[in-house]
Amino acid sequence: MVGQHFPTFRPAYRQIYYTRHQTGGGAIQDMLPHVVNAIEWLVGPSTRVYCEAAHQALEGVTVEDTASVAARNGDVLTTYSLNQFQAPNEATFLVHCERGSLKVELHEQRWGMYPHGQPAGSTTRHR
């Protein structure tokens, strides 16, 4: 899950490449590749992708600012959710495995391991 208030971090977004798909604009070409690259580094390349995207909120443009993606990376199923209008600037990655889960919160500069069968709150967290 990734999102930020794009006008705060890129105030000139209406006057730059972002306004048109032909110049690399929209959430799919601007923000999503960074997230996909991180996941592909962890689990391998995407082999199938399904995406729903829409313009929901950013003023002054018509390109998509929201995307919901389901993908397959070999045997691994992945999902991505992002928008460029939410208030918090955050990126959270969840990786669910055979013996538990890993949660990375880039915006908080922390990560934690959550083993199956452990009581709530007994995670191993790192900063």
Side-chain angles (χ1 to χ4, degrees):
M1 301 173 285
V2 178
Q4 67 178 193
H5 188 249
F6 201 56
T8 298
F9 296 95
R10 195 61 79 78
Y13 74 93
R14 294 177 196 98
Q15 289 84 37
I16 60 173
Y17 71 92
Y18 186 83
T19 61
R20 299 174 12 156
H21 289 130
Q22 295 84 348
T23 54
I28 292 172
Q29 295 183 97
D30 181 69
M31 183 184 244
L32 187 60
H34 302 292
V35 181
V36 171
N37 286 343
I39 298 305
E40 287 185 334
W41 179 76
L42 287 171
V43 298
S46 299
T47 53
R48 291 185 185 183
V49 177
Y50 172 78
C51 178
E52 283 286 334
H55 176 263
Q56 298 289 304
L58 284 185
E59 295 180 14
V61 297
T62 58
V63 293
E64 78 283 346
D65 55 17
T66 305
S68 178
V69 180
R72 180 178 284 277
N73 297 57
D75 291 337
V76 178
L77 299 178
T78 56
T79 58
Y80 305 93
S81 173
L82 71 91
N83 77 71
Q84 294 182 301
F85 56 84
Q86 71 183 36
N89 182 23
E90 61 186 6
T92 301
F93 296 89
L94 294 166
V95 180
H96 306 292
C97 304
E98 183 178 329
R99 293 185 290 176
S101 299
L102 170 71
K103 183 177 186 179
V104 179
E105 297 171 304
L106 293 179
H107 56 287
E108 297 289 344
Q109 298 180 346
R110 69 181 174 202
W111 62 278
M113 296 181 296
Y114 299 80
H116 288 299
Q118 296 295 315
S122 66
T123 181
T124 304
R125 298 185 86 154
H126 304 277
R127 281 221 178 246

